[in-house]
Amino acid sequence: MDKPVLAKDIMVTKLVTLTPDMDVHEAIGKLLSHRISGAPVLDSERRLLGVFSERCCMDVLIKASYEQLPSTQIFPFIDTAPRCITEDTDLLTIAQIFQSTPTRRLPVVRDGNYLVGQISRRDLLKAEHTNLRFKTNLPQEITLLYLSGIIKREESPIA
């Protein structure tokens, strides 16, 4: 059996990142200009403080409409408890997280909170598409059957 594909094998390491003191309008502009739906917010030592996403932007818009913004910095609006994974999280676990939660991106952390990369739903699809097409000798119409042989249902990391 092939060795499992891990987060460290498919994570993106060149990321658009934000700082907690960044202006809200600047942060939204960065998301829009890079065509991304969210970005990690890091301190000066690359520790993950949270994620600023399109969902957080909706909070900014609502609070700006109904009340005075408590701050023009992004920190009060970030998700400070994003779901994270480690470099050794396997592909199937990542897929199950994406399938069972509304999470669009998973920060990959080392030593608890140091950001080393990120995996989005699209990154996972690209990696598995490449993996199935080029690492198996199965005909294209049955390559998804290959997945059923990777792990037994009772060994599944998420029930």
Side-chain angles (χ1 to χ4, degrees), residues 33-145:
S33 68
H34 288 281
R35 295 179 160 196
I36 56 177
S37 62
V41 179
L42 307 178
D43 69 9
S44 60
E45 296 176 12
R46 290 196 57 82
R47 286 186 297 230
L48 181 67
L49 301 175
V51 172
F52 186 72
S53 66
E54 290 173 338
R55 184 180 196 116
C56 300
C57 294
M58 297 305 116
D59 192 32
V60 170
L61 294 174
I62 291 167
K63 287 192 171 144
S65 296
Y66 289 112
E67 54 191 77
Q68 291 287 331
L69 282 176
S71 172
T72 61
Q73 296 178 343
I74 64 169
F75 190 73
F77 302 102
I78 69 172
D79 174 3
T80 57
R83 181 145 200 180
C84 297
I85 58 174
T86 66
E87 296 165 285
D88 294 326
T89 305
D90 66 87
L91 182 132
L92 208 52
T93 300
I94 297 166
Q96 288 175 323
I97 292 168
F98 282 139
Q99 191 274 329
S100 63
T101 68
T103 303
R104 291 180 170 210
R105 75 201 59 73
L106 290 166
V108 181
V109 295
R110 183 183 298 149
D111 299 328
N113 65 349
Y114 289 94
L115 184 72
V116 293
Q118 180 174 275
I119 298 175
S120 68
R121 289 177 179 187
R122 184 162 295 172
D123 297 329
L124 180 75
L125 290 174
K126 283 180 191 175
E128 194 51 33
H129 183 261
T130 300
N131 188 38
L132 285 176
R133 179 166 287 173
F134 298 112
K135 293 191 179 187
T136 66
N137 294 321
L138 299 172
Q140 184 174 357
E141 59 273 2
I142 61 168
T143 54
L144 286 178
L145 291 176

